[in-house]
Amino acid sequence: MAICTSTCFFIPVSLNLSKPNPNPNFRKNPHSRTAKFTCSTSTKQAQLAKQDLLSLIADQDRGLKTQKDPAKRSSIIEVIDALAVLGKDTVTTTADSLSATWRLLWTTEKEQLFIIEKAYLFGTQTGDILQVIDVDKKVLNNVITFPPDGVFFVRSNIEIASSQRVNFRFTSAVLRGKNLEIPLPPFGQGWFESVYIDDEIRVVKDIRGDYLVVDRAPYSWKE
């Protein structure tokens, strides 16, 4: 996957005695060593930060509770920033890693949180919220489901801008129900950066300064 793996290791360094030995009968052990500890970014560090992140967001109702808890929000973002530092030299935009149906676990995006919270006003509830990405086809669908039959999705074209950044432009939107389909005009463009990605989750920052944590859905969403 995209995580850079380097390990912590010891570098043996021979002792250098600059002063004369006060005991002339003492013989220095030729195998004596002092250890200089060297560490850099490691998979273990990333995995620990990831588990910390998942623990912090587990009871946050996809971000609804975090809106009212600035301290928790700061703690979550601090871990996300740590993951971003650990993964700063990794490539997260390849088709093998990025193309998937991603399911929302947590976000700071106010629009999505509003829909999650207020869907009951329209006689429904919010189901899975998805990001469906196909790098090879250069498409992205942002999807909000309203079980059992409703769905709102926004189609986008995407371009890989760098090792972690993807540019997108909305092209169309559709509100679909059991017996209806309402096309809506496209709106907006921007970019997002996947600062961490593995076989289970992806962590994202976007152009507006929002954050997103998603996991790989156990199914593939299709229009």
Side-chain angles (χ1 to χ4, degrees):
M1 265 310 164
I3 298 307
C4 178
T5 59
S6 53
T7 57
C8 300
F9 53 92
F10 286 101
I11 300 177
V13 180
S14 298
L15 285 172
N16 179 16
L17 301 179
S18 58
K19 295 182 179 180
N21 191 336
N23 184 354
N25 296 320
F26 174 79
R27 295 183 63 189
K28 184 180 71 174
N29 183 347
H31 301 294
S32 294
R33 295 287 187 270
T34 184
K36 180 170 66 178
F37 191 66
T38 303
C39 248
S40 59
T41 304
S42 69
T43 299
K44 183 176 180 180
Q45 289 174 301
Q47 287 299 310
L48 289 172
K50 168 189 167 183
Q51 293 307 317
D52 193 14
L53 174 62
L54 292 177
S55 177
L56 284 168
I57 68 174
D59 63 350
Q60 293 302 294
D61 197 8
R62 293 190 280 193
L64 287 178
K65 294 181 179 179
T66 317
Q67 294 183 109
K68 302 174 183 178
D69 191 342
K72 177 59 73 78
R73 186 182 192 275
S74 295
S75 296
I76 293 170
I77 291 174
E78 183 178 351
V79 177
I80 289 175
D81 288 342
L83 277 170
V85 171
L86 290 170
K88 64 184 177 65
D89 296 322
T90 63
V91 178
T92 61
T93 52
T94 64
D96 288 345
S97 60
L98 189 57
S99 294
T101 296
W102 299 96
R103 178 176 55 183
L104 178 68
L105 298 179
W106 180 87
T107 189
T108 61
E109 292 181 3
K110 292 180 174 62
E111 294 84 356
Q112 292 193 24
L113 293 173
F114 176 83
I115 293 172
I116 294 171
E117 185 176 23
K118 303 299 184 183
Y120 73 92
L121 295 176
F122 303 95
T124 186
Q125 61 180 357
T126 307
D128 286 346
I129 297 177
L130 309 169
Q131 231 184 30
V132 186
I133 301 174
D134 189 320
V135 172
D136 291 333
K137 294 182 180 179
K138 298 183 178 181
V139 294
L140 159 68
N141 282 330
N142 287 303
V143 182
I144 302 176
T145 63
F146 303 101
D149 302 307
V151 62
F152 172 68
F153 60 95
V154 180
R155 303 182 185 99
S156 306
N157 293 331
I158 61 172
E159 292 182 356
I160 305 303
S162 70
S163 60
Q164 295 192 341
R165 180 173 293 190
V166 175
N167 296 330
F168 64 85
R169 181 187 295 273
F170 298 128
T171 58
S172 64
V174 175
L175 178 62
R176 182 180 293 163
K178 187 174 183 179
N179 297 307
L180 64 86
E181 181 165 318
I182 303 172
L184 300 169
F187 52 93
Q189 62 183 351
W191 56 258
F192 63 84
E193 291 179 341
S194 298
V195 299
Y196 177 85
I197 195 169
D198 65 16
D199 290 337
E200 296 177 325
I201 72 166
R202 182 167 60 96
V203 180
V204 181
K205 296 180 179 181
D206 71 18
I207 189 173
R208 301 191 307 177
D210 279 316
Y211 298 84
L212 190 75
V213 182
V214 293
D215 70 355
R216 294 180 187 269
Y219 59 88
S220 295
W221 185 85
K222 305 290 183 185
E223 284 194 33

